[in-house]
Amino acid sequence: MNFSEKLKTLRKQGNMSQEQLAEKLCVSRQAITKWETEGGLPDIENLMAIAALFSVSIDDLLSEEKLSRVVANYAYESVMEYDISRPTHFDIHAPGALALNLSVADNEKIRVRLASNVLQTLAQDYKVQLDEHQSRFDVNIRRVGKNSEAEGKAALVIFISLPSKYCDDIELSTIADALRINGTNCPFELDGKAKSVCLDGVKGRVSLNCNTDMEICADELPQAIEINQINATSVLRIPRDVKYFTKIKGKSNRIHFALDGKAVSSSSDAEANCCVELAGMNAELLIDHRTEK
């Protein structure tokens, strides 16, 4: 079920007309019609309002939708760029954010863009420090203003673009509701928390060290995906025809399998090249194959 279908179902379950829902969200009825007929997606603020109104998460609303379609134009922005001249390890530290979008580009620049429709003084409230070392490049985004961490988690969206030919590997530390990794070929590691993780065209090894229940969506599997969790339950959604083998490390960890949400027997293929590994303790992973992307 995509976003438009979910919104229509939630509205009907709440016994609301399009006009009544529009009034509660302070938008036009035409906006509701557009969202329910796949004419577009709400912006982040309206997504938050819809999630709060129906007591669901933004993750549940979006599901398979692409984060890039949601985070488009913003009222307030702050941008910093820096030229890179050699291959390096990128060590990125970001504050709590509503969403973080990490991508690579065919140029020689690192670009950090902070965006929001709520936080008006981004350049004053957040400091972006870029430090180049011999074999490492540090990207440190710090909250220095009067706004709280909670405000950042509710309204800050971070875009980071790295030069593809100079990425040896990427390590990211952050807390975000939604995390999207786009087009990277080098190893990537997350240390922190993310409720929703979208892997779009990612081919390098991916490590997710996160003690929060995650919904991970991938349009293809990378060389390997390692999920390291303690006392957490996560879902990995992948296309039906993807081949992989599974590996379990740690204590009391379990992997289950499903097809479009319905339990099936193991889909692990010992002859496959890609590995899906679950490590940690008392963790569960459901690998859900989709018949449609």
Side-chain angles (χ1 to χ4, degrees), residues 63-64 197-200 215-219 235-237 290:
S63 186
E64 310 298 332
V197 178
C198 177
L199 304 176
D200 191 356
E215 180 170 354
I216 309 161
C217 295
D219 61 350
V235 179
L236 171 62
R237 304 191 190 281
R290 307 175 309 231

Side-chain angles (χ1 to χ4, degrees), residues 42-50 74 98 116-118 154-156:
D43 60 20
I44 286 292
E45 282 69 33
N46 281 320
L47 279 171
M48 292 168 58
I50 293 168
Y74 293 89
L98 178 63
S116 178
N117 284 326
V118 176
L156 176 65

